[in-house]
Amino acid sequence: LGIELLSNTYIKQCEEKKIDCDYISSVAGKPWKSWMKVFRWLQKKEPDTIVLHSTNALLPCWFYARSRKTPLLVVEHMSNNLKRKSEWMASRLVMQLADAVVLLTPAYRDELRQKLGRFYRGDKVRIIPNGIDTNRFAPAERDLSKQSKTLRLGMAARFTDKKRQDLLIEMLALLRQQPVSVRYHLSLAGDGETWKSVHEKAKEMGVEEFISLPGYLGEDELLEWFRSIDIYLHASEGETLSISLLQAMSMGLPIVASNVSGIRNLLDEKRECGVLVDNSGKSFADAVDMLANDPEKAKALSLSARELAVDTYSQNAMFDLYNQTIKEII
């Protein structure tokens, strides 16, 4: 369900795993236009349980679930500090209508409880972190001590106003002004509405030659992309639990990221797994320069991040918690 066409990569993955896959188009800002399509799809598929990842389809899913006595789990993804008034209204409805509300982190739960007040239903809430294939996203050999080579920096995310790839353009311009003993190349994977403006900014700041914009990458391509970079960057106004960050952690990459909700609690709550910085080009540049000149620090962060990813954010751990939750409701 979405305003953009379904990725061919996702279709291919579903075909390989023999999973039924259907696409329902929606209109930005007018979710009700797709509700009847969603309801008819549910009538056709007759699911035993509904796991909903988009509050835009809450009402048709709830109506079907109640008419068939089908369990409804709703997963909250959007960063709380980025929610608009209408999205907070949806969060209130979710608490009332869902059989279980899945949240990705304890910090997100605490924010939601404080904001929703009497609408918060603690008996419905389950904490289930996103999970990734930590065996597949495994560390590659890299050596930041070789300062004569080009250090490859990268961020993988959709290009939106909430993601701040533009700050990384400013960062690269600052790094390029430093002595040439360390050379840098920046790769920004993904696509979206701000891709063109970020590309134009690279031209304006004279760093287009040192930037690659490979566009959207399927999982196989993304895995190779992670293996090709030395330091992972994540500039954002807010996150819930970023899959790209988890993948970078699992790959054992040193990380520099925005010091905002959803990133701070991931990288610096249980153990230090990355360098947190203010949202400015200079802050990112200073942190990258520090890691480039302190390979022991970079290595320590890498090991810590990998350990946390394996211990807490594996696909197996995620599946077990979903399975347990569904059985409890049934």
Side-chain angles (χ1 to χ4, degrees), residues 41-60:
W41 177 77
L42 290 168
Q43 286 183 312
K44 178 183 176 183
K45 296 298 180 181
E46 297 185 330
D48 297 307
T49 301
I50 300 172
V51 182
L52 178 63
H53 288 259
S54 171
T55 56
N56 286 337
L58 174 63
L59 290 182

Side-chain angles (χ1 to χ4, degrees), residues 6 8 69-70 135-136 154 166 176 268 286-287 297 314-315:
L6 184 63
N8 286 329
K69 294 182 171 55
T70 299
N135 291 323
R136 191 167 193 217
D166 59 307
R176 293 292 305 174
D268 198 34
D286 289 345
K297 172 71 170 178
S314 70
Q315 284 185 341

Side-chain angles (χ1 to χ4, degrees), residues 50-80:
I50 300 172
V51 182
L52 178 63
H53 288 259
S54 171
T55 56
N56 286 337
L58 174 63
L59 290 182
C61 288
W62 171 80
F63 190 78
Y64 177 88
R66 287 300 165 266
S67 67
R68 300 294 184 93
K69 294 182 171 55
T70 299
L72 172 63
L73 284 74
V74 180
V75 187
E76 280 257 31
H77 290 285
M78 178 171 284
S79 176
N80 286 319

Side-chain angles (χ1 to χ4, degrees), residues 77-290:
H77 290 285
M78 178 171 284
S79 176
N80 286 319
N81 68 326
L82 299 180
K83 285 181 180 176
R84 297 168 297 185
K85 187 175 181 179
S86 61
E87 287 152 347
W88 279 113
M89 182 62 71
S91 289
R92 294 187 185 96
L93 274 176
V94 164
M95 284 290 173
Q96 301 308 308
L97 303 182
D99 294 299
V101 182
V102 175
L103 310 179
L104 304 184
T105 68
Y108 191 99
R109 174 199 58 202
D110 296 342
E111 293 167 359
L112 205 62
R113 180 167 48 203
Q114 182 177 9
K115 186 70 177 181
L116 295 184
R118 62 188 178 88
F119 292 99
Y120 180 81
R121 291 286 303 275
D123 58 312
K124 292 186 176 184
V125 170
R126 306 289 189 276
I127 305 296
I128 305 180
N130 283 334
I132 59 171
D133 188 342
T134 53
N135 291 323
R136 191 167 193 217
F137 285 86
E141 290 295 327
R142 56 179 58 88
D143 185 1
L144 292 186
S145 65
K146 297 178 180 178
Q147 294 189 12
S148 61
K149 72 167 187 175
T150 297
L151 284 183
R152 297 183 59 86
L153 317 172
M155 174 175 171
R158 277 192 55 77
F159 282 71
T160 70
D161 291 332
K162 304 299 188 235
K163 300 294 190 291
R164 298 299 308 275
Q165 288 94 341
D166 59 307
L167 295 179
L168 303 184
I169 303 297
E170 297 172 11
M171 171 207 71
L172 184 62
L174 291 170
L175 289 172
R176 293 292 305 174
Q177 296 172 10
Q178 296 181 1
V180 295
S181 59
V182 181
R183 297 186 296 273
Y184 298 95
H185 184 274
L186 175 64
S187 180
L188 301 174
D191 57 16
E193 57 265 31
T194 61
W195 187 95
K196 186 176 180 180
S197 63
V198 170
H199 189 201
E200 290 299 320
K201 183 162 189 169
K203 289 181 180 179
E204 292 169 6
M205 302 199 74
V207 294
E208 184 184 16
E209 178 185 352
F210 312 105
I211 290 179
S212 60
L213 298 165
Y216 175 82
L217 301 177
E219 188 170 287
D220 290 341
E221 298 168 310
L222 187 62
L223 188 59
E224 290 305 312
W225 180 87
F226 272 117
R227 288 171 179 158
S228 75
I229 65 174
D230 300 301
I231 299 175
Y232 182 76
L233 313 175
H234 203 85
S236 174
E237 296 291 345
E239 298 285 349
T240 303
L241 187 58
S242 165
I243 290 292
S244 296
L245 271 171
L246 293 181
Q247 290 168 336
M249 292 166 63
S250 186
M251 295 289 293
L253 283 163
I255 297 170
V256 178
S258 300
N259 188 7
V260 296
S261 176
I263 296 179
R264 178 171 51 249
N265 55 283
L266 173 63
L267 297 181
D268 198 34
E269 187 171 67
K270 293 185 177 180
R271 63 191 84 172
E272 187 183 12
C273 297
V275 181
L276 296 170
V277 299
D278 297 332
N279 267 347
S280 72
K282 185 178 186 306
S283 295
F284 272 91
D286 289 345
V288 168
D289 181 62
M290 181 272 292

